[in-house]
Amino acid sequence: RKGIRIEGLSKRYGQGDTAVFALKDVNMQVAPGEVVGLIGPSGSGKSTLLKCLGAVIDPTAGRMVLDDEVIYDEGWKVRDLSALRRDKIGFVFQAPYLIPFLDATDNVALLSMLAGVPNAEARAKALELLTALDVQHRAHAMPSALSGGEQQRVSIARGLVNRPPVILADEPTAPLDSVRAMAVIRILNDMAKRFEAAIIVVTHDEKIIPTFKRIYHIRDGVTHEELGEGRGFD
Ligand code: ADP
Ligand code: ADP
């Protein structure tokens, strides 16, 4: 596993007089096993960067390598984006987006089943993650019966179930108290180590910012790298 590499990435929305450069020559590298923070004010380009990395939108120029695969290079891009998203990228969103008619376990197991893992095995993996996130007692609850924090932890488990080499997390701890926020950071660090995942966490959460060893600050589409406090998560 090779992590994430972004070189000279730019993204322009619109044309001519109304064009907005949301990303300007962004360079970024996240090693396998590393969890980095991405921090910036509203409108700075965080969502745009995550959407480019997640192959949800196309960048305007530059190069992106996920794991060992060049996914975009100056206008050229991989053909099968949906397979790429399924196999290489774990998404953890701000809102849980759980499927309302599946219980917590099946919400987590679904992506694994779709990737061809036998149901029993997929459910066992799901339960292991739910246990690590301390929601195993809700394994058979439907989403509507879960609290906001429980839904969030189930959705985090779902993003990790295929052990993706790249994990993109958008404000994963926003609705959680500090004990649970730390548990989420712990499991992301654990995933990074155990599966050599490269993880980017977009956050404003003051509780978790001191845990990062490295932080990318973004402002008006320009990134600056800084060392974080790197206090870890215990
Ligand atoms: P953040 O996630 O940090 O709030 P965004 O990536 O959403 O920032 O936005 C970066 C800039 O790009 C902002 O100026 C925003 O208004 C602009 N922008 C984002 N999405 C679009 C879009 N679909 N069309 C036009 N402009 C956009
Ligand atoms: P976030 O809360 O993730 O920063 P925003 O509220 O900035 O997201 O944007 C929500 C959605 O609207 C995103 O999909 C973004 O791309 C889009 N968007 C943001 N700014 C603009 C804009 N100026 N024009 C069109 N779409 C925009």
Side-chain angles (χ1 to χ4, degrees), residues 159-176:
L160 307 180
V161 73
N162 279 344
R163 317 306 199 207
V166 170
I167 296 170
L168 306 174
D170 190 1
E171 298 280 3
T173 60
L176 303 178

Side-chain angles (χ1 to χ4, degrees), residues 2-232:
K2 304 269 173 59
I4 299 169
R5 201 164 70 242
I6 301 173
E7 290 163 4
L9 201 74
S10 71
K11 174 64 185 178
R12 184 190 67 229
Y13 291 112
Q15 300 282 344
D17 290 348
T18 58
V20 174
F21 277 89
L23 299 175
K24 301 164 189 162
D25 190 24
V26 169
N27 296 290
M28 197 177 213
Q29 191 149 8
V30 188
E34 206 184 8
V35 182
V36 305
L38 176 64
I39 300 176
S42 185
S44 58
K46 304 181 297 295
S47 307
T48 300
L49 182 53
L50 281 194
K51 285 179 202 165
C52 288
L53 275 167
V56 176
I57 61 174
D58 290 339
T60 305
R63 187 164 192 270
M64 290 192 294
V65 186
L66 293 193
D67 198 16
D68 50 2
E69 194 165 1
V70 179
I71 67 160
Y72 185 91
D73 193 2
E74 299 297 347
W76 176 92
K77 61 178 172 176
V78 289
R79 232 189 254 148
D80 195 350
L81 289 175
S82 59
L84 173 94
R85 281 194 290 265
R86 186 190 64 215
D87 298 336
K88 301 258 187 209
I89 308 171
F91 293 97
V92 176
F93 301 103
Q94 197 169 349
Y97 300 119
L98 297 174
I99 297 175
F101 50 85
L102 296 179
D103 71 10
T105 304
D106 281 352
N107 260 283
V108 175
L110 183 64
L111 274 179
S112 197
M113 294 173 181
L114 290 176
V117 174
N119 290 4
E121 195 182 316
R123 290 201 175 102
K125 281 204 307 187
L127 194 59
E128 189 186 317
L129 281 168
L130 292 172
T131 304
L133 286 157
D134 195 27
V135 276
Q136 69 282 10
H137 57 294
R138 307 299 273 145
H140 299 296
M142 301 306 278
S144 60
L146 299 173
S147 74
E150 288 168 348
Q151 290 182 27
Q152 183 63 3
R153 284 177 283 153
V154 171
S155 109
I156 289 168
R158 180 189 49 194
L160 307 180
V161 73
N162 279 344
R163 317 306 199 207
V166 170
I167 296 170
L168 306 174
D170 190 1
E171 298 280 3
T173 60
L176 303 178
D177 64 32
S178 60
V179 171
R180 292 194 163 126
M182 280 305 163
V184 167
I185 288 299
R186 185 175 304 117
I187 194 174
L188 290 175
N189 277 274
D190 185 48
M191 283 285 147
K193 294 262 142 40
R194 275 167 66 197
F195 302 108
E196 296 193 294
I199 304 183
I200 297 179
V201 181
V202 171
T203 191
H204 292 105
D205 189 343
E206 299 292 345
K207 300 190 291 295
I208 68 169
I209 289 172
T211 69
F212 299 114
K213 291 195 177 74
R214 234 157 39 89
I215 294 175
Y216 286 92
H217 292 271
I218 181 165
R219 188 165 204 110
D220 294 331
V222 179
T223 51
H224 296 282
E225 185 189 334
E226 262 180 26
L227 290 180
E229 291 180 40
R231 266 192 233 149

